[in-house]
Amino acid sequence: DDFIVTDAPEGSNFGETLDITRFSPAGERPDGLVFMLLIDDSGSMYDGPDGRPSPGPAQTRAALARREARNFIDGLGSSLDRAGLAEFGTRYRVLAGPRTDRASLIDRLGISTPPVPEEAYTELYAAITRSAGDMASQKGRRIVILFSDGENYPYAERKGLPHPDYGNRVFT
């Protein structure tokens, strides 16, 4: 009674309620889950949560995203679950591949600092595409969790110059 599952055909609104016939908290997954925590480190992440200039480094969207990523890592339940970290702005960077060592992940989160203007763009769609590609070789159920203020702001399109890694390609 605590869960409702809905589904809908492609292109229509959710609405059909499905019966839950069985529930297993462990999910019957012998391999565990594999998470990639994808953290936006673009220029807009250094504003406050309301979009205005932040009163200090601890009150930025970037600091909030890292804090929530730490909370997520701390809350991983199964010892079989693995998590990795990547961040992006203009460029995409893997900070740590999927692993069970929670402490090393938290260490790699580090403290964020605002990017220089050339690195402050938000290649959101490129980062999602790349992180999904990085996860393709992992066994088990794979999940990308995005920490972002949610706006794609591609370098090539906004700057009018080829992206340092993607050229004139704009991801959709």
Side-chain angles (χ1 to χ4, degrees):
D1 291 340
D2 291 334
F3 297 94
I4 297 172
V5 177
T6 60
D7 195 9
E10 181 85 25
S12 64
N13 293 330
F14 283 92
E16 178 186 349
T17 301
L18 304 176
D19 291 331
I20 299 172
T21 58
R22 179 168 64 105
F23 181 79
S24 172
E28 298 177 12
R29 45 190 166 85
D31 297 340
L33 299 173
V34 184
F35 298 96
M36 178 60 78
L37 307 182
L38 181 56
I39 301 173
D40 185 342
D41 197 46
S42 65
S44 63
M45 292 294 286
Y46 291 87
D47 288 333
D50 60 0
R52 295 184 176 151
S54 171
Q59 291 85 29
T60 64
R61 294 171 179 169
L64 177 62
R66 281 176 161 64
R67 189 167 43 250
E68 291 307 317
R70 277 186 199 92
N71 290 341
F72 182 85
I73 292 166
D74 283 340
L76 285 173
S78 171
S79 62
L80 298 174
D81 293 342
R82 294 174 287 139
L85 294 170
E87 68 180 11
F88 69 97
T90 299
R91 296 181 178 196
Y92 172 82
R93 296 167 297 281
V94 175
L95 303 176
R99 61 193 63 203
T100 57
D101 179 7
R102 279 45 164 172
S104 73
L105 290 172
I106 289 172
D107 285 345
R108 289 207 162 104
L109 273 171
I111 297 171
S112 59
T113 57
V116 297
E118 288 295 307
E119 297 297 323
Y121 292 84
T122 311
E123 290 284 350
L124 177 66
Y125 301 151
I128 292 169
T129 300
R130 298 225 13 223
S131 64
D134 287 346
M135 295 285 284
S137 65
Q138 298 294 318
K139 293 191 187 302
R141 293 179 63 193
R142 301 167 301 244
I143 302 158
V144 174
I145 298 178
L146 174 65
F147 297 87
S148 175
D149 58 1
E151 185 175 345
N152 191 45
Y153 199 81
Y155 182 95
E157 190 176 90
R158 300 297 181 152
K159 186 139 175 111
L161 296 171
H163 186 280
D165 298 328
Y166 314 131
N168 290 318
R169 181 176 181 190
V170 175
F171 290 77
T172 57

